[in-house]
């Protein structure tokens, strides 16, 4: 009686026998899609202070992390096995330092005109930008934590608008 | 009076003027080094249940994530701008599902005999494995969170053993 | 008197002077295209038996090979010099073990909506999946053979349906 | 009673529970190693004739295939999930056309001074060179077959000399 | 009074606060675009003579450089951080040896049907082809110079035809 | 009487029959090696002025170009077909703006402890950093020229010190 389509959400990357598969988007139309992912890099007050103390330091670190995030989003389909390659119309990486919490929030925004969503591109851009901040500050604090990396917003495609605030 | 070496930890990827740089490891000897990173993928009980309900599903998802993590660790220096390319002797990815918390902990272990540490390789392997789980389960829960990605242990090199438990 | 168009099939990647070139697809329309390639991995009965004897072994090996094949198809244009980069709508890798022959047939199916065919993507996916099986079984049999890798079917584009059974 | 070490060859990329793993080479010494792989590209007499008829054609096709094979061997660890990245000392690709059989044998030789063998690098170089020949001749014959891709020789490491002639 | 749009050309990859960004092409229509870049490899007469003296030498060197240039153009967006990934319809690399000047001019032509121009793809193809010639001739002359790499022509898109002769 | 070793410099990437080959470095010892390459990006006074006028602009552009150059040097062996993969100990990119000439000189320094030189890594880093400056300033001046890219210095290996000033 019940079928997978009745049963609510399913794992789209698994077929009936539980084997992995790429989702077939042959029949889908291209639409404008966007996704926003966010995560936070939390470090010790000492490491955070060092980032602010040296001339240019924070700007150079964040620009480097931004470049790393943009480049990673373009290579998302090489990293995440079942992602489709797609042409990104835009990738933006923003940083929101929080002096009180010694943390930096990373926000990645991706857009495409294509048949599938860009959630993974945004999540990957956010993660790699955060990893780059970790790399550049780890000499001061090996225990830096990447936390709360999650999708914040998506639009376009069958599921339309979705937000998680 | 104070110099950067007296001032405690510094940001090794920035020179005196605050510009980014790759650390010069020309003079360093190769030693056995290892690093362990961990992170957690927390999903809704419904998504977690789906992962367990279908035949083979969890095994296939986790094997796919493992492969993605291993491959990413080998390409770490392409993703993280100031990392050195290095020959990994070993990469291992383990998963620790927690049925009660609807979460899966990802542990990545990397080893090398080289002049620099493998923290970034372990952190990158862990992050990409977690992103792959996100990708394969996002049809059931777009709000899956990657949390507490951090270095747990490192050994080898000048700083010796370091743990964060 | 004779021209290359009269002379039957030509080598499209060579110009009049015999120098290599990428085919210009500027004027072509995007259509739905697919290609299926197959090849066979033939190993010793001993190696084949080992693959079946250990818990999970065949499933893990084949899932790893499937992931490798899917990833390779997405990077086909990086490997095959004169291939066009194109957005794959679907990649599927299936395995058909033949216990009697100690062999596994690998079938790769690729689809796109684009201006050129996806034969090379299917052939590359099939080859890399087969190479991955070789890699994971070579400790038991260095003499494993990859055989009869060929295109089985293509559809779409100017030449329409083509089969080789 | 029997253990895996008594039982003869095992699948080195699987642990006791049958899950995939990268082999740990941390403790191994670097030694000179080499591997030779061969495979054959068999085409229709018509396609083979075209390859010989046009000025420069065969030379340009084979040089292109050689370059593709060399480049692929250097990226073997990106393609084959559980391969170790290693520094190749030498990669050579040779071609042996057989006019009577309308086929070209591809031989790839790889060398390294490292802790693991270069079988996969040679097998990958051979396969990608063969795929490139297929790509450049497929306009004349879609049914070209890659056949008998196998390891021919290896030396160095624990298992020493091995040949398959 | 004045705004950036009045002020003539601006740096499109910088936002108002001077931070780098990828240009958003979400709203743009795909059109046929092309770009031609040229550069020159100037070597010593001795090195140039060697290139001509040995059987096949110049042809093999230039074919290798051509392949390298074509492959690099397809990976332009991986190299140049703020470039968009795009599907190239055509890449062509031509060489114009000048015996008197002991130099070889490299011309790269790229075409796409997409929302952004292909200047960077052509510039990158030209540069990497020139670097490959350098690599293959540097044993004879380490002082080889790459000179006057520049865009020669572009068409398509908002700015239409542009030439620089 | 005469042999290739008597005949002065030869093209090391070509064998006796003029076919391309990778140089075999199996027998060579690792030594400390370095290479410095320089090139110049010359733009219109108007474009150069824009680069200086906007807040942060020059710093952000040059940091982006620096990151691109560092990343490219690590992938040199993927771009230049006959280069050996090698582990870089250091990559540094410096910029020397010349306000009077509206140009920026790019200097790339690479170091390794390996069997072959790092000239190509330095040349590639310099070229890709220069291309990135071009990309970020081309909206203001499509006619920007990359000029005089050449090796300035190398040390280590059989040929010892070499300078070109």
């Amino acid at each position: 009686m019940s079928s997978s389509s009745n049963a609510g959400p399913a794992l789209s990357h698994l077929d009936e026998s539980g084997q992995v598969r790429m989702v077939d988007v042959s029949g889908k139309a291209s639409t404008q899609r966007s996704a926003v992912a966010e995560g936070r890099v939390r470090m010790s007050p000492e490491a955070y202070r060092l980032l602010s103390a040296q001339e240019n330091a924070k700007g150079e670190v964040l620009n480097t992390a931004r470049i790393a995030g943009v480049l990673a989003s373009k290579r998302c389909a090489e990293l995440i096995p079942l992602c489709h390659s797609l042409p990104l119309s835009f990738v933006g990486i923003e940083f929101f330092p929080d002096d009180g919490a010694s943390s930096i929030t990373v926000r990645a925004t991706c857009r495409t005109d294509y048949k599938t969503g860009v959630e993974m591109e945004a999540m990957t851009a956010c993660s790699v930008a955060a990893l780059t901040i970790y790399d550049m500050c780890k000499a001061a604090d090996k225990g830096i934590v990447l936390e709360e990396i999650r999708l914040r917003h998506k639009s376009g495609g069958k599921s339309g608008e979705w937000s998680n605030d």
Side-chain angles (χ1 to χ4, degrees), chain A:
Chain A
M1 208 87 103
S2 74
S3 74
S4 76
S5 59
N6 292 343
L11 302 177
S12 54
H13 286 307
L14 296 170
D15 65 18
E16 299 71 27
S17 62
Q19 292 188 314
V20 300
R21 65 171 182 196
M22 204 175 182
V23 176
D24 191 343
V25 300
S26 298
K28 299 179 75 175
S30 290
T31 60
Q32 286 211 355
R33 292 156 185 273
S34 71
V36 179
E38 282 184 20
R40 204 161 54 227
V41 183
R42 182 166 49 78
M43 59 186 78
S44 68
E46 168 71 1
Y48 191 85
R49 191 189 58 72
L50 274 165
L51 199 59
S52 309
Q54 204 180 350
E55 187 190 354
N56 295 328
K58 199 185 293 180
E60 293 276 305
V61 167
L62 298 186
N63 184 31
T64 303
R66 179 181 287 118
I67 296 303
V70 169
L71 283 166
S73 70
K74 292 190 279 186
R75 302 177 74 183
C76 177
E78 293 180 28
L79 296 171
I80 311 299
L82 301 173
C83 267
H84 295 83
S85 301
L86 53 77
L88 287 161
S89 306
F90 174 73
V91 185
I93 314 276
E94 297 163 282
F95 300 103
F96 303 92
D98 179 337
D99 294 352
S102 301
S103 75
I104 297 169
T105 292
V106 181
R107 179 188 292 162
T109 303
C110 293
R111 293 188 198 123
T112 192
D113 300 304
Y114 195 61
K115 308 171 183 193
T116 60
V118 284
E119 296 95 299
M120 289 317 300
E121 282 73 12
M123 291 286 285
T124 298
C126 178
S127 300
V128 172
L131 286 166
T132 300
I133 296 175
Y134 176 92
D135 180 45
M136 297 183 76
C137 298
K138 71 179 192 295
D141 178 12
K142 287 183 192 62
I144 293 169
V145 182
L146 312 193
E147 60 189 21
E148 301 295 312
I149 301 174
R150 66 172 89 192
L151 192 67
R152 288 295 178 177
H153 185 77
K154 79 182 288 280
S155 69
K158 197 179 56 178
S159 62
E161 294 282 315
W162 179 90
S163 282
N164 177 18
D165 300 311

